Amino acid sequence: MIVAEAVGRALAACGVGTVFGVVGSGNFHVTNALVASGSPFVAARHEGGAATMADAYARMSGRAGVVTVHQGPGLTNAMTGLTEAAKSRTPLIVLAGEATEAQSNFHIDQAGLAAAVGAVALRVTSTRAAVEQVVEAYRVAVEERRTVLLNLPLGVQSAAYEGPQDVPALVARLLAAEPPSGFPAVKEPAGSEVGALVQALESARRPVFIAGRGARHARRELEELAERTGALLATSAVAKGLFRGSPWDLDVSGGFATPLAAELIRAADLVVAWGCALNMWTTRHGSLISPGARVAKVDLDAAALKTHVPADLGVVGDVADVARKVAAQIAGQVAGQVEAGPGYRTPALAGRIRAEGRWQAVPYEDESGGGRIDPRTLTIGLDELLPAERIVSVDSGNFMGYPSMLLDVPDEGGFCFTQAFQSVGLGLATAIGAAVARPDRLPVAALGDGGALMGLAELETVARLGLPMVIVVYDDEAYGAEVHHFGPHGHPLDTVTFPPADLAAIARGHGLAAVTVTRAEDLAGVAGWLNGPRDRALLVHAKVTGERGSWWLEEAFKGH
C-alpha cells in the first residue's frame, strides 16, 4: 500500500467518525482509504462548509472531527472554518495534500497559514513512521483539544508504505502506550488551589456558577456543588442548555442574558467560571462582574485563568474532577451528605426565575406589519411548534440573538454555536455537521439572509443527504448589523442593503420544501411540514422587520 492509504487506515483505526471534505487529486487516495476502512464520508460543496461541518460534528458527537481537502486552494478555501475551530479549541484534524515544490502553482506555506490562525501544523514525513505521525496528530487534537493541520506531501503520499502492514494493530498498540513527551496527562488539581476555592465558596453569600464549553460533561457535579453552596447556575452561549430543568438555571450569561439573569449575575459576590474564559460576550465587556465580586476560574488550560477577566483565584484541572473534590471538602466527613447553603437560593428568588427566567416571558411590543413579521413573534411561534428534541445551529448577524434565546433546547447537546470567530456564513454548514452527529434530533438552522446566501452551495448537500432539517432565514434584505451600527450616524447604507431575493424559490430549486412567512398565521405551513413525512428539508423564508437593532447588538457594538 502507499503512504496515503496507510494514513487513511490509521486515522480510521483511531476511532474517528464521519469525515467531511471536498476531494481533489491531492486527497483522493487518503479519503478513499478512510471510506474503505469504515469511516462514512460527506462530500461538501465548498471546503469552508466542509471544515465547519467537521467542527460542528466534533462538538456534538464528542469525537474528533476530520476534514479532508486538496493542497493549496483546497486549504485556503477551508481557512475560515478552520479558524473558527482553532479559536474554539475543537479537536479537529485537517488532512491536506501539500505541494512542496516551490514551482508548483499549488505551493504555499501551509504550515504558516495554519499557525497564523492558531492551529497546530504537523506533517507526514516518513514512509516508515507515517502511522506513528498520524497517531501523534490524533493525540494532539484529542488530548490538547487543538485543531491540527496534518500536511500530506504529495511525494510522500504516493511512496510505498514501509512500516508494519497491519495498521489497525499498530494503532491499537500506539494508543495503548503511555503518552510520549509533549502529551501531558490531565493535571491533578493542587490541594492548595482546591482549598482556596472551598474557602471562597463557604464565605460567599451570592455565588454564581458560569459554565462554559469545558464544563459540558460536568452537569451532575456542578449541580451537586451548587446545591451545597447555594449557587445560581448560568452558562456561556456555547454551553446553553447545560442546566435546563434546574429551578436555579439562569440560562445564558452575557449579551443574550435575560434582564433577570443580568441583574442576578451583577449582584453576585463570587463568580466561578467552570471551563469558561469569561470573554467580552459572556460578561458584557466586564459589566456583569461587579467591582466588588471575586472571580474564580477552573480550567484545564492555565493560561485561561488570566485571560479576559483575570481570576482572583484559579484551579488548573478538569471541571468535573475539581467540582467533586470541592464538594467533598465542603460536605465534611459524612459520606453522601448534601448541605444546601443559603447562598443565593430563596423561595422568592425561585419564583422570580420561574416567572422571569426565559426570554419568552419578557414583554415586548409586536412590531409585525406591512408584510413583515417581528423576529420575536416568529421565533416564539417556531419554539411552540418545533419538537422539543431539537438541535439548533445559529449563524452570525443582527438576527442571531432571537433564535439563540427564544428557541429552547433540551440540554447542552441541543445548541451548536460556531461563533468564536463570529463569521457570517457558517450557519448552514454548522447545522449539517450537527445533524450528522445527532440524527435523533430535529436539526434547526437559523440564518440571516446574508449568511444564507453565502452558504447557499450547501443547500444541495442538505438535499443530497436527505436531512429532515428546518432552515429558518431571517430576511431583512440587509447586513443588519452594519445598518444599525452606521445608520443612526447618517452614513449611506447602499453598500449593505439589497433588493428582495426569493429564497423560497431558491430552496425549491434545490429540491427542498419552502414556505414564506410574513405574519404569524403563515407558520401554519411549518406545522403542515412537521405533521407530514419530513422526507425533505424545509426552508422558512421569514421576511422580518428591521427598523431597529436587536438588544444584544447594542452590547456587541461596545467591542468595536
Side-chain angles (χ1 to χ4, degrees):
M1 77 181 113
I2 62 174
V3 169
E5 293 170 328
V7 169
R9 292 184 188 184
L11 200 51
C14 286
V16 301
T18 300
V19 176
F20 302 82
V22 176
V23 174
S25 60
N27 63 326
F28 182 85
H29 293 299
V30 68
T31 306
N32 281 346
L34 278 159
V35 173
S37 299
S39 296
F41 176 69
V42 171
R45 285 302 187 177
H46 190 278
E47 289 90 349
T52 300
M53 291 174 201
D55 180 2
Y57 176 85
R59 298 178 193 227
M60 295 294 102
S61 70
R63 306 170 82 169
V66 178
V67 60
T68 169
V69 299
H70 183 67
Q71 65 272 18
L75 181 61
T76 58
N77 277 347
M79 284 309 298
T80 300
L82 195 158
T83 303
E84 168 63 35
K87 282 181 170 287
S88 296
R89 297 293 291 265
T90 298
L92 179 67
I93 300 167
V94 183
L95 296 172
E98 184 183 27
T100 55
E101 298 295 330
Q103 64 268 28
S104 169
N105 59 313
F106 292 133
H107 175 70
I108 57 172
D109 181 2
Q110 296 191 173
L113 196 63
V117 299
V120 177
L122 299 175
R123 179 176 285 112
V124 172
T125 60
S126 171
T127 57
R128 182 171 297 278
V131 170
E132 288 85 346
Q133 292 171 330
V134 170
V135 172
E136 178 186 10
Y138 177 79
R139 279 186 167 146
V140 171
V142 172
E143 296 179 12
E144 298 186 17
R145 297 177 302 149
R146 298 298 297 274
T147 292
V148 176
L149 169 63
L150 184 58
N151 282 310
L152 305 175
L154 300 182
V156 177
Q157 278 198 63
S158 60
Y161 172 61
E162 299 176 328
Q165 297 299 295
D166 190 345
V167 171
L170 174 58
V171 169
R173 290 197 300 272
L174 292 169
L175 291 177
E178 287 295 318
S181 60
F183 299 98
V186 174
K187 176 179 168 59
E188 179 73 14
S192 59
E193 295 174 348
V194 172
L197 182 53
V198 168
Q199 292 178 6
L201 285 166
E202 288 181 330
S203 61
R205 297 180 62 83
R206 297 180 305 280
V208 170
F209 290 176
I210 302 179
R213 186 175 176 191
R216 283 163 54 97
H217 65 295
R219 171 173 180 160
R220 179 176 59 82
E221 291 83 358
L222 291 177
E223 284 191 329
E224 289 180 358
L225 179 59
E227 180 73 16
R228 297 184 191 280
T229 59
L232 304 182
L233 299 164
T235 72
S236 67
V238 293
K240 175 180 168 66
L242 180 63
F243 301 117
R244 182 68 71 241
S246 167
W248 308 106
D249 177 23
L250 302 181
D251 203 20
V252 174
S253 174
F256 292 161
T258 63
L260 177 62
E263 171 193 331
L264 295 174
I265 295 169
R266 281 195 182 103
D269 59 357
L270 173 66
V271 174
V272 186
W274 299 89
C276 177
L278 293 181
N279 64 26
M280 64 180 184
W281 309 118
T282 306
T283 65
R284 291 191 181 179
H285 305 274
S287 68
L288 289 186
I289 309 296
S290 158
R294 297 187 71 193
V295 174
K297 289 185 176 181
V298 179
D299 205 287
L300 284 171
D301 183 4
L305 305 182
K306 295 301 180 184
T307 57
H308 303 295
V309 178
D312 297 304
L313 62 97
V315 184
V316 177
D318 174 73
V319 164
D321 182 45
V322 172
R324 282 192 296 267
K325 287 180 166 60
V326 171
Q329 288 197 28
I330 290 176
Q333 302 301 313
V334 181
Q337 179 181 351
V338 176
E339 299 176 355
Y344 225 164
R345 300 185 174 192
T346 66
L349 185 53
R352 285 195 70 193
I353 293 173
R354 282 194 304 272
E356 306 171 44
R358 297 171 71 239
W359 268 108
Q360 287 89 336
V362 177
Y364 72 96
E365 182 178 346
D366 191 338
E367 297 175 353
S368 302
R372 293 194 171 273
I373 186 170
D374 189 307
R376 295 163 293 188
T377 302
L378 166 73
T379 313
I380 291 170
L382 288 169
D383 185 63
E384 294 170 350
L385 283 174
L386 299 174
E389 288 298 308
R390 62 185 73 155
I391 184 163
V392 177
S393 301
V394 181
D395 209 331
S396 190
N398 175 62
F399 77 95
M400 64 188 291
Y402 302 116
S404 295
M405 289 297 92
L406 292 168
L407 287 180
D408 277 341
V409 295
D411 53 34
E412 73 282 3
F415 193 64
C416 195
F417 195 67
T418 49
Q419 294 295 329
F421 196 33
Q422 208 176 346
S423 172
V424 173
L426 303 186
L428 182 57
T430 298
I432 294 171
V436 173
R438 293 297 304 267
D440 57 316
R441 292 188 170 179
L442 176 71
V444 180
L447 320 174
D449 53 310
L453 289 165
M454 280 189 188
L456 198 61
E458 303 308 343
L459 280 180
E460 190 278 333
T461 306
V462 172
R464 174 167 29 91
L465 296 180
L467 296 174
M469 180 184 293
V470 176
I471 303 166
V472 185
V473 183
Y474 292 71
D475 182 11
D476 60 359
E477 297 172 7
Y479 294 135
E482 283 64 42
V483 167
H484 297 294
H485 193 175
F486 296 105
H489 302 288
H491 296 291
L493 299 173
D494 293 347
T495 56
V496 292
T497 55
F498 302 90
D502 192 344
L503 297 172
I506 292 172
R508 294 186 188 104
H510 283 80
L512 278 62
V515 58
T516 299
V517 176
T518 61
R519 53 184 188 149
E521 291 80 0
D522 295 334
L523 290 173
V526 178
W529 181 88
L530 289 168
N531 293 328
R534 303 187 197 178
D535 53 354
R536 53 182 174 161
L538 171 70
L539 185 136
V540 180
H541 180 196
K543 297 189 175 185
V544 297
T545 56
E547 285 74 21
R548 67 184 66 198
S550 56
W551 83 93
W552 76 270
L553 197 63
E554 296 176 2
E555 296 294 334
F557 285 163
K558 295 176 183 177
H560 290 282

